[in-house]
Amino acid sequence: GAVVSQHPSRVICKSGTSVKIECRSLDFQATTMFWYRQFPKQSLMLMATSNEGSKATYEQGVEKDKFLINHASLTLSTLTVTSAHPEDSSFYICSARVPGQGAHGYTFGSGTRLTVV
Amino acid sequence: DAKTTQPTSMDCAEGRAANLPCNHSTISGNEYVYWYRQIHSQGPQYIIHGLKNNETNEMASLIITEDRKSSTLILPHATLRDTAVYYCIVRVTGANSKLTFGKGITLSVRP
């Protein structure tokens, strides 16, 4: 089946530094990818929709200058958390819609656990 | 504004059927019912979806009431590996329709 590969699975960074998370569609082309954030014991919250070759669309309350999204190719989207702070510590998950699988064809990455110290 | 309501948690014995309810009383005619699950520290996994007819696949069955205001996900023979958070989502289909997750129901399968 269609696979979305997300890296790294875990990252620890110092406060004030930036962290890049990659999401790759391995055997299909993803024109649209979605980025979610999940705090402990909470549900997934959609952060932004990433479209290949154009600017991402951010959900209300998500700072676009802090969470930089790049979707430069049909198989790669990246999320960069800039100037990370401890409150940015969370589980970040990407998702892509798989062409040809109908409206239910969303596949998710395995997530990235970010810890900012 | 939650579109679906689910109990917070439930448990069932291994090997028995797990019936997970979901209320979606404000569902509109073009909205489908989707179920996903998330095992701890992993990304969500698609289970099943339906519009108005009952559906079955290799993972589960989905029973939708005639008025479409509620549905039940059935795992016919729950295993320990089915322990997860199960999300019931209603959404329209469409090229880039978003998946919006509620709080889900935590299913614990006990030995």
Side-chain angles (χ1 to χ4, degrees), chain B residues 35-69:
Chain B
W35 283 84
Y36 282 77
R37 73 177 182 185
Q38 185 181 24
I39 295 170
H40 182 63
S41 291
Q42 296 183 25
Q45 175 190 22
Y46 165 82
I47 301 173
I48 199 167
H49 77 287
L51 183 62
K52 52 184 178 181
N53 297 325
N54 297 337
E55 302 288 344
T56 295
N57 63 20
E58 65 277 5
M59 290 183 70
S61 294
L62 174 61
I63 308 298
I64 303 174
T65 58
E66 193 167 341
D67 62 7
R68 303 212 319 127
K69 293 186 176 182

Side-chain angles (χ1 to χ4, degrees), chain A residues 6-116:
Chain A
Q6 185 173 344
H7 291 281
S9 57
R10 288 179 177 272
V11 59
I12 301 173
C13 72
K14 291 186 177 180
S15 188
T17 62
S18 295
V19 173
K20 180 184 284 188
I21 301 169
E22 290 190 350
C23 188
R24 292 180 185 272
S25 56
L26 294 188
D27 47 7
F28 67 98
Q29 293 184 331
T31 55
T32 302
M33 288 189 177
F34 303 89
W35 287 94
Y36 292 83
R37 178 170 55 182
Q38 185 176 34
F39 292 109
K41 298 191 184 300
Q42 294 188 23
S43 188
L44 289 81
M45 296 297 296
L46 181 65
M47 299 175 67
T49 302
S50 159
N51 296 297
E52 187 267 336
S54 64
K55 291 184 179 180
T57 303
Y58 290 80
E59 296 298 304
Q60 191 173 7
V62 178
E63 300 175 58
K64 62 180 180 181
D65 294 331
K66 181 168 183 63
F67 299 99
L68 300 179
I69 291 173
N70 185 285
H71 194 159
S73 80
L74 287 171
T75 59
L76 175 65
S77 177
T78 62
L79 167 68
T80 302
V81 183
T82 62
S83 186
H85 291 285
E87 57 265 30
D88 298 323
S89 298
S90 189
F91 192 52
Y92 292 85
I93 308 168
C94 65
S95 171
R97 185 165 177 270
V98 182
Q101 287 195 4
H104 67 279
Y106 287 85
T107 187
F108 288 80
S110 54
T112 297
R113 176 80 56 195
L114 170 63
T115 304
V116 185

Side-chain angles (χ1 to χ4, degrees), chain B residues 72-108:
Chain B
T72 301
L73 179 73
I74 300 172
L75 307 179
H77 306 286
T79 69
L80 298 179
R81 279 187 263 184
D82 291 323
T83 293
V85 179
Y86 287 77
Y87 297 98
C88 170
I89 301 169
V90 296
R91 58 180 284 268
V92 295
T93 60
N96 296 314
S97 179
K98 304 172 190 175
L99 277 176
T100 302
F101 290 81
K103 295 183 178 179
I105 177 172
T106 300
L107 173 66
S108 301

